[in-house]
């Protein structure tokens, strides 16, 4: 099937993607349910909270597989199926009788449904706007971030007035309807013809990678380039820093900075605002300057935050600055990366290529928690984050576009 890329098709797809991403972002309200589920299942909160770790890993794995599903069934069918799976899994979660069922349904199934829809619909939307990839990505991922904020109020209202079981059912129904309707509005993006690069075009693309003339690499071909692994490490670094800090910000405030509960809880609001700001600001900026330079900016901002956490005697203002920098960097990087990967490896295989790199999302969040649990808590994790951010900055400043026309060479200058 070769869909047309006319204006109505791509605008309907953009709107459908925004609606879908808004619903998929609702999974980041999960922390609201830890205490109610722990009470219902008569089990520690920490064991209930582990279901979100399973969800994150399942989401990342599903994202890496979604390209194959789109190739076989098309974006509309896969999105609708993901929406139905997401809604039913959330509804079933309300009746989970024990932790094992919770892990399977709320962890694996919800994460798989969310990941299947997330990256595939995002990549498909970006392909419709080759001249405005950053703006399209910012709209879609911004909606994903807003979903966690919007559903926070929806879920909080029903938790307060109707209980945990009704809340899961309402959440599941609303999310299912949004994703299914969004899927109906979508079309598969057209296949972009591979651009032939001469030396002058290639030189221009090295200095202006906001809109380069990129070759299409299959995943197997991308694996053979050093650039692929450099971009993968950069992405893992930002995800590890962002997801770890987002997940334990309140605990860092209380136990590491010694703030009172109210002041520590303010960090959650700061993270939400800065995360969304990073998505919008850096997403738009990535259509104006080279995207790899935008990532360099994001990494330097992240470095400021990590240095504050690791090397500064923290008090309230410096703690807020640190988490603001890390959240801004994380949100902006997540937004820019799909377009950046297409700059390096082409649009046609974006879902597969970015899908593999996106595994760093799940791995990064897991590694941060493991380091903290087994190697010295917050300080050990901050030290690893600092080293990785410095390495990633060097990579972002030296990486060059790969080319099939020449033998593979090291990407460093």
């Amino acid at each position: 099937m070769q869909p047309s890329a006319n204006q109505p098709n791509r605008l309907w797809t953009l709107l459908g993607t925004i609606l879908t991403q808004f619903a998929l972002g609702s999974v980041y309200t999960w922390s609201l349910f830890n205490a109610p589920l722990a009470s219902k299942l008569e089990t520690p909160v920490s064991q209930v909270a582990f279901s979100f770790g399973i969800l994150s890993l399942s989401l990342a794995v599903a994202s890496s597989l979604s390209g194959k599903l789109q190739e076989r069934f098309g974006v509309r069918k896969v999105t609708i199926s993901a929406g139905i799976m997401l809604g039913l899994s959330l509804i079933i979660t309300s009746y989970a009788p024990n932790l094992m069922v919770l892990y399977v349904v709320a962890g694996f199934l919800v994460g798989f449904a969310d990941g299947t829809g997330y990256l595939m619909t995002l990549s498909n939307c970006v392909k419709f706007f080759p001249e405005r990839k950053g703006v399209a990505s910012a709209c879609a991922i911004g909606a994903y971030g807003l979903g966690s904020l919007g559903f926070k109020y929806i879920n909080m209202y029903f938790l307060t007035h109707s209980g945990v079981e009704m809340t899961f059912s309402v959440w599941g129904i609303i999310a299912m309807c949004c994703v299914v309707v969004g899927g109906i509005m979508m079309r598969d993006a057209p296949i972009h013809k591979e651009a032939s690069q001469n030396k002058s075009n290639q030189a221009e693309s090295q200095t202006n990678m906001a809109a380069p003339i990129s070759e299409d690499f299959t995943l197997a071909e991308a694996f053979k380039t050093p650039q692929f692994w450099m971009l993968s490490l950069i992405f893992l670094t930002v995800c590890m820093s962002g997801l770890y800090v987002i997940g334990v910000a309140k605990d860092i405030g209380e136990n590491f900075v010694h703030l009172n509960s109210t002041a520590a809880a303010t960090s959650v609001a700061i993270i939400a605002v800065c995360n969304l700001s990073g998505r919008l600001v850096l997403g738009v900026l990535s259509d104006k300057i080279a995207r790899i330079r935008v990532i360099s900016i994001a990494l330097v901002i992240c470095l400021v935050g990590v240095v504050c956490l690791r090397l500064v005697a923290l008090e309230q203002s410096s703690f807020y600055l640190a988490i603001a920098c890390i959240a801004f960097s994380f949100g902006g990087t997540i937004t820019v990366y799909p377009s950046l990967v297409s700059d390096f490896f082409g649009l046609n295989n974006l879902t597969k290529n970015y899908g593999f790199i996106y595994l760093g999302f799940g791995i990064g969040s897991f590694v941060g928690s493991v380091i903290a649990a087994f190697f010295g808590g917050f300080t050990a994790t901050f030290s690893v984050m600092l080293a990785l951010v410095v390495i990633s900055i060097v990579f972002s400043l030296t990486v060059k576009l790969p080319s099939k026309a020449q033998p593979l060479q090291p990407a460093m200058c």
Side-chain angles (χ1 to χ4, degrees), residues 268-288:
V268 177
I270 293 173
I271 285 171
V273 171
C274 293
N275 189 353
L276 180 59
S277 299
R279 294 168 189 258
L280 297 176
V281 172
L282 296 185
V284 173
L285 183 63
S286 71
D287 279 334
K288 301 183 181 300

Side-chain angles (χ1 to χ4, degrees), residues 46-77:
S46 60
Q47 294 184 21
V48 172
F50 185 65
S51 58
F52 187 74
I54 298 172
L55 187 155
S56 297
L57 287 173
S58 182
L59 190 157
V61 172
S63 296
S64 69
L65 301 176
S66 59
K68 285 286 188 182
L69 295 174
Q70 183 183 1
E71 280 185 357
R72 183 167 182 178
F73 301 106
V75 69
R76 177 187 288 183
K77 290 181 180 179

Side-chain angles (χ1 to χ4, degrees), residues 252-387:
I252 295 173
E254 289 180 341
N255 303 322
F256 194 70
V257 190
H258 307 298
L259 302 178
N260 61 50
S261 180
T262 302
T266 302
S267 63
V268 177
I270 293 173
I271 285 171
V273 171
C274 293
N275 189 353
L276 180 59
S277 299
R279 294 168 189 258
L280 297 176
V281 172
L282 296 185
V284 173
L285 183 63
S286 71
D287 279 334
K288 301 183 181 300
I289 65 174
R291 290 188 182 90
I292 192 63
R293 297 288 79 83
V294 176
I295 296 300
S296 298
I297 293 170
L299 287 167
V300 170
I301 293 172
C302 184
L303 179 64
V304 172
V306 177
V307 166
C308 285
L309 290 177
R310 182 63 185 89
L311 302 178
V312 173
L314 287 174
E315 39 81 31
Q316 183 170 309
S317 59
S318 57
F319 170 61
Y320 288 164
L321 173 64
I323 61 172
C325 288
I326 292 172
F328 185 92
S329 172
F330 173 72
T333 299
I334 287 287
T335 300
V336 174
Y337 239 75
S339 301
L340 178 71
V341 173
S342 74
D343 290 347
F344 275 76
F345 303 108
L347 274 170
N348 289 327
N349 297 308
L350 174 60
T351 305
K352 293 179 184 177
N353 292 333
Y354 181 50
F356 186 90
I357 290 175
Y358 195 79
L359 288 172
F361 183 94
I363 295 171
S365 64
F366 181 74
V367 168
S369 298
V370 169
I371 293 172
F374 296 103
F375 298 99
F378 296 136
T379 301
T381 309
F382 296 156
S383 298
V384 174
M385 286 162 50
L386 180 59

